[in-house]
Amino acid sequence: MSRYIFFLFSALIIFSFRIYGQQNEISLNWEIGYHKTATETPKRWAIATVPGAVQLDVMKDENYKQPYWFADNVIQFDWMEDYFFTYKTSFKKPSMKSFEKLYFHSKGIDYAFKILCNNVLIREQEGMFTYVDLDLTPFLKEDNELKIILMPVPKTGIVYEKGTETYRQNAKESVKPAVSYGWDWHPRLVTRGIWDETFLVVRNQSHIKDVSVSYILNEELTNVDLQVNIDGENLSGNNFRWILRNSQGETILEKKQTLLSDNVTFNASVPNPELWWPHDYGTPYLYTSELYVVDSKNKLLSEEIQKIGFRKIKLVMNDEAWIDPRFPRSRPEVPTAIEINNKRIFAKGSNWVHPEIFVGLISADLYERQLLLAKEANFNILRVWGGGIVNKESFFEICDREGILVWQEFPLACNNYGDDVEYLNVLKQEATSIINRVKKHPCLAIWSGGNELFWNGMTDQSLPLRLLNSLCYQLDPYTPYINTSPLFGMGHGHYLFYDKEIDENVFDWMPKTRKTAYTEFAVSGASNMSVLESFIPSEDLFPPKTNTAWEIHHGIGAWQQDSWLEIPTLKKYFGEIESLEELVKYSQLLQCEGLKFIYEEARRQRPHCSMALNWCFQEPWPSAANNSLINWPNEIKPAYYHVKNACRPVLLSVYVPKFEWNENEEFSCELYLLNDTYDQLEPTNVKILLQYDGDKEIELLTWNFPGGNSFQNVRGPKASINLPRINNNLFTVKVLVENHEEYNSSYVFLYNNKNVNKVFPAIEYYNGEFLFGYNEVF
Amino acid sequence: MSRYIFFLFSALIIFSFRIYGQQNEISLNWEIGYHKTATETPKRWAIATVPGAVQLDVMKDENYKQPYWFADNVIQFDWMEDYFFTYKTSFKKPSMKSFEKLYFHSKGIDYAFKILCNNVLIREQEGMFTYVDLDLTPFLKEDNELKIILMPVPKTGIVYEKGTETYRQNAKESVKPAVSYGWDWHPRLVTRGIWDETFLVVRNQSHIKDVSVSYILNEELTNVDLQVNIDGENLSGNNFRWILRNSQGETILEKKQTLLSDNVTFNASVPNPELWWPHDYGTPYLYTSELYVVDSKNKLLSEEIQKIGFRKIKLVMNDEAWIDPRFPRSRPEVPTAIEINNKRIFAKGSNWVHPEIFVGLISADLYERQLLLAKEANFNILRVWGGGIVNKESFFEICDREGILVWQEFPLACNNYGDDVEYLNVLKQEATSIINRVKKHPCLAIWSGGNELFWNGMTDQSLPLRLLNSLCYQLDPYTPYINTSPLFGMGHGHYLFYDKEIDENVFDWMPKTRKTAYTEFAVSGASNMSVLESFIPSEDLFPPKTNTAWEIHHGIGAWQQDSWLEIPTLKKYFGEIESLEELVKYSQLLQCEGLKFIYEEARRQRPHCSMALNWCFQEPWPSAANNSLINWPNEIKPAYYHVKNACRPVLLSVYVPKFEWNENEEFSCELYLLNDTYDQLEPTNVKILLQYDGDKEIELLTWNFPGGNSFQNVRGPKASINLPRINNNLFTVKVLVENHEEYNSSYVFLYNNKNVNKVFPAIEYYNGEFLFGYNEVF
């Protein structure tokens, strides 16, 4: 066969495979019911949506108040925690060839369950992250019934008592995400059910179960040594054909071989690979690995096609990280600087919580909309926080494609997970499944044991963390692993614009802090007006009160007494709050200016600092006030745009030592050119203007910026003036850059005199027209 | 069979087993030769001592200058590093039954080698800690030859250039102990050879290879769940009998069973176990596990008898260890408080380096003498430092028996061991052997990756450390593991009585430091006169000069220019040093008072501090000056007695803020009752005396000590006086305790006036008569 004809032929085969691959999945119609004890059967069956959640199915069937997020409707679900739920479905035996088998496949059943086929127990499992893949063939009749019985939700640790105890203690010694037991932005709502794709599938008895492509990229980045592991059933005697395509779809490598067992490994090399980069440092090149198993007559039996990418990722020591050079000497701060493909980056991003309280409702489309927002915000990394789920495959596929790094935590958060042998067994099973799935994605940057575990009684000696480190080492050694965040040198917090306990705000504490990585910090902001109106009964909208939707939705008494609305702070800076509009605008103003200050200050602290991630990106249900940048379901808060600007690869940043100013005070500011890119910057002219009372303007300084080196900040000049009398309570500082408008910045400050006029920051820019900070105040 | 007869019968069997067990080992006579290339054979064969070292064999054969430790004789060995060495031995095939096999067994061949039997290559190995156990039967003739070819020593990392580079860099990416490449108390002498027991042994073809007894002691310490794993060859069809005896030799458990495979596991429970304790907190109870394999006719085929002990050991958080409660918040210091059998202890001890430069010469007898000294010094733990070897079995057996905890480091120290795959493979093999051997000993308290690895470029991300953590988790999960020492909160150093760079001495820096564990600290002292005279040619004895044995033996230019004699420091405190006697006495005085101050201050810092280990216990060859307490080979330095006193379970300690005093200065001191025991202490009366100029005495204070709680220090009163005119340069402070002379303490201070008389501290007590500090000065 000529080369040309062979390629033509193989293209045809691939095309036919694809069709075959889509045809053999059979979807199912499910019903659901609940019962108090394991031996009972449900008294009533409702239609079940799969994937979905047991709560939503009952809500629809029994005419619960809707929508579930309105006011206090969520409490309707409370009773369900202690019930068993049974899913059932019936199906005819599909027509199958003698060499075919029928499998039941589910990518996620939450949380502990039994599966019965025609009343035969075929699987018991604890854990929502281990795929279920069961050969039903031996149990099949003409008419079949499949049942999935969910156990009540696990409740370990202290007893849950609303109002007196932290709810999430109930999540101890379970691998169920802790967040659903209640958090300061999440009601106690222990969702569960079939939460990811679930179907029947007909397979040839000879089929691939898994293909894993591991690799070592050499120091010089000029060669990849691949190892491909094929795991399957009844493969022996058949042949495989493996193709590696580059990002253009061109075949780079090809291999054909007879399979001698069900577990086959082979090696290959890719010279001069196109590397996977986070989007702001290069192109996230992806290759395609295609594995086909064919029989002796070249008939396709099974296939596995996956995107792969090549990158070398490390956590390296931060510069100047040695803090204790004198004897008795301890150790330096842990390495938190991300080095990818031998280049250090400044990691900018956010903490990702799941975007919908009912995780079964999360679609690839929702992931895509939010991940594109993250990318547009100049984020190159997301910390997938250990209180939530490990996301579905589409999340990682989009991150791979868009060049967004993922810091993936295991499902441990804010509990003292103990050394109990049964818990360790479940954790081992779940972590193994998670690692083997997620390690295939080049976007994976860091494994982490979970969130704030060293604040809750766990230590480096805790066996769950030693287990996770060990599993990651064994299964994915070249991806960094940390036990938890924060570690020595890293920081979580602060979570307030102004802390009355210590009488300090963001502008006070942040510049005197020196952390290697700010992996959580927050300033809360009220939700957008339209969001508030969507779940607060109109009569409760203003003023906010306890025992209303304001409290249930975490505007009051959530973390501390005043969080997250922080009305005393608003009063301190802006006087009595007279309307909902005033509340929202001033609250959001503090979030905008506070977060901008922290991100830019973290960048000014480079190279000692290497990372800045705010808490948090989005929220799983509509909050009254929250630290998120995105309101549920996908409403952008003003702070998003300010953070986006603070994270531009290059910008002119102004350091101003405080937020609140008075007449005749010496107002000082200092310029910094922040450059996270590897570009050399050309010389230009920069000026700083102070604008106030609508049209008044003072030029504070000009700077002949001499140009800058790659990946280096440049400290500019300092200016100061005696503040004039200002009539409004806000004024603006703007930085204008000649020929580089995209580097411009602006900041709003508080002028806090008697008899000042209250004005609001301009907010028109919230809908996409926003450029570089507040244009004006009025 | 009656119970009585059965016991009698089994006792007889055991007796006969023992004889059989001793008879079947066959010792060998070895010869040795060297060659420049792998393919050459030695030109000359010398008699080899096994276990021993290649250097010693050549030294004897070729009439090198002896003893090897005298003057600069050690440099005679330098050329050997790059040579191959071949051991050979010949033996007749022993008379064996058809069901017997002949094995070659070695507990240690250092470092990379090949073994040939009758010129057939039967083993290649890199690593001195993995036992060699080879079935020779298939290769046997009537007359047999066994050869072991040692490769040249590994030299990785930077090239060794005497005088310009740190020698030990050569140890990188090898599992050979780094110390032999040179240290500040160890010459570069890369010893090697067959270093542990090595013999032929006839075994039944059905025999035990290993028995491993693991266990979980319940929280209440009332029950042990045992798991016994038997690993053997051709066991199937035979029977085993297992007996567990308590410390009195009484049979506690017994089990008989037919063996169905070569790998058998069974469980058992021990209710109300006698626990293993470190000697100062209880009795180190040991049980005996006896496993016998017998055939169907009850004939003994194989046996394995081992001591085991039951203890629960943890590293828990130090009290008050949270140092950073404000936002942005980091993590607390790592847990370093040892909790054994649910009781916290204060860990007192020292750093153990191997006691003989040629590790093949280390005998059980030498271990015993030094370990008993450690126990008598009130030490409950030894940190077996990662620069040296993992000790032979007898070391651990003695620690088990005497109740001395062992902190065991892997052989990594002060290098940046990289992620090289071949290195990781050797490390995995060696660490697996080490863990499986040492984990059987109840004395094992802590696994550590190695020494000061985070000061040398390694981080938590380094794959060798992640591998070690993973292996320890998999093979011995209930023993704590740390990556290295020091970690966050722990301290190494200082290593000088007086640091001229910062103009501070021990009395200055130690009280203002707050570490959770002082795991290395040092004050150097000259070696005893008799030791100095044993290796320094008499004409070089005084004054010490460079380029003499003083320098080669680390008295000058060892760590820093003046270490370890620190003559400028001696001059600062004592004026011009006129004689060798003066040098030794004053140098040793600083070591005595400096170490005493650090140990007692660490204990005063309890509960924040939980551990104090000086650098170091002993030394592997005679130093001119060193931080050790024991001179080579086993000569006690005065500091040993002072440390022993500072580590008494209960003592009265006096805090004095500085060492050097003048006339009319306000001399102040403060009393502390230090109690590391769980005893309640009865009330008593305490007084402090200041003694000077032979017979003069001032009573500084009396204290009616009200009694004390278990494991609690009690802070006593403070006193001060204006110092009188003193004629001598030393004076003494003594604490006398009514009815409890064993709590008495005394301290010597410097009186630094013009025209002062130089006196020496009394030293008669050095030879065992010593009670509680300096009795007088004269």
Side-chain angles (χ1 to χ4, degrees), chain A residues 324 326-331 454-455 460-461 466 469-470 473-474 480-481 486-489 492 504 515, chain B residues 322 326-331 454-455 460-461 466 469-470 473-474 480-481 486-489 492 504 515:
Chain A
D324 184 18
R326 282 180 57 172
F327 293 117
R329 188 179 290 177
S330 178
R331 62 157 293 174
F454 291 164
W455 295 4
D460 317 73
Q461 298 304 325
R466 294 190 59 203
N469 193 354
S470 179
Y473 178 79
Q474 292 173 70
Y481 169 88
L487 291 174
F488 178 42
H492 276 202
E504 284 191 357
K515 296 292 181 190
Chain B
W322 186 264
R326 282 180 57 173
F327 293 118
R329 189 180 291 177
S330 179
R331 62 157 293 173
F454 291 164
W455 296 4
D460 317 71
Q461 298 303 325
R466 295 190 58 204
N469 193 352
S470 178
Y473 178 79
Q474 292 173 70
Y481 169 88
L487 291 174
F488 178 43
H492 276 201
E504 284 190 356
K515 297 291 180 192

Side-chain angles (χ1 to χ4, degrees), chain A residues 556-579:
Chain A
I556 300 171
W559 176 49
Q560 296 177 344
Q561 189 188 336
D562 298 316
S563 50
W564 291 110
L565 278 175
E566 297 295 337
I567 289 171
T569 297
L570 299 180
K571 284 185 183 168
K572 169 183 158 71
Y573 291 118
F574 306 104
E576 208 58 47
I577 304 297
E578 310 281 1
S579 70

Side-chain angles (χ1 to χ4, degrees), chain B residues 29-133:
Chain B
N29 295 314
W30 295 89
E31 293 176 285
I32 196 165
Y34 51 85
H35 38 115
K36 189 72 196 167
T37 64
T39 50
E40 278 174 292
T41 47
K43 292 184 185 64
R44 174 185 169 92
W45 292 97
I47 293 168
T49 301
V50 170
V54 302
Q55 286 88 350
L56 297 174
D57 294 331
V58 173
M59 177 182 77
K60 282 178 198 152
D61 186 56
E62 298 187 12
N63 299 313
Y64 278 34
K65 285 185 279 180
Q66 296 197 39
Y68 64 79
W69 62 83
F70 191 79
D72 64 354
N73 289 354
V74 70
I75 62 174
Q76 300 172 109
F77 303 132
D78 280 359
W79 64 270
M80 296 186 191
E81 288 185 6
D82 302 323
Y83 276 72
F84 293 78
F85 279 79
T86 295
Y87 282 93
K88 77 170 179 186
T89 185
S90 307
F91 61 93
K92 292 260 180 217
K93 180 176 176 178
S95 71
M96 299 192 297
K97 309 268 167 46
S98 62
F99 51 79
E100 289 180 325
K101 291 180 168 186
L102 182 69
Y103 282 77
F104 172 68
H105 186 85
S106 175
K107 298 192 194 304
I109 302 171
D110 177 6
Y111 169 75
F113 55 88
K114 294 179 186 184
I115 302 179
L116 295 91
C117 181
N118 295 325
N119 288 319
V120 179
L121 179 69
I122 57 172
R123 167 64 63 99
E124 278 187 277
Q125 179 172 314
E126 179 179 343
M128 65 189 278
F129 299 110
T130 298
Y131 286 9
V132 169
D133 196 72

Side-chain angles (χ1 to χ4, degrees), chain A residues 129 201 246 293 309 323 361 375 399 499 565 575 614 726:
Chain A
F129 298 111
V201 56
N246 68 11
V293 172
I323 59 153
L361 301 186
K375 183 182 177 185
C399 290
D499 182 342
L565 278 175
N614 85 298
I726 298 179

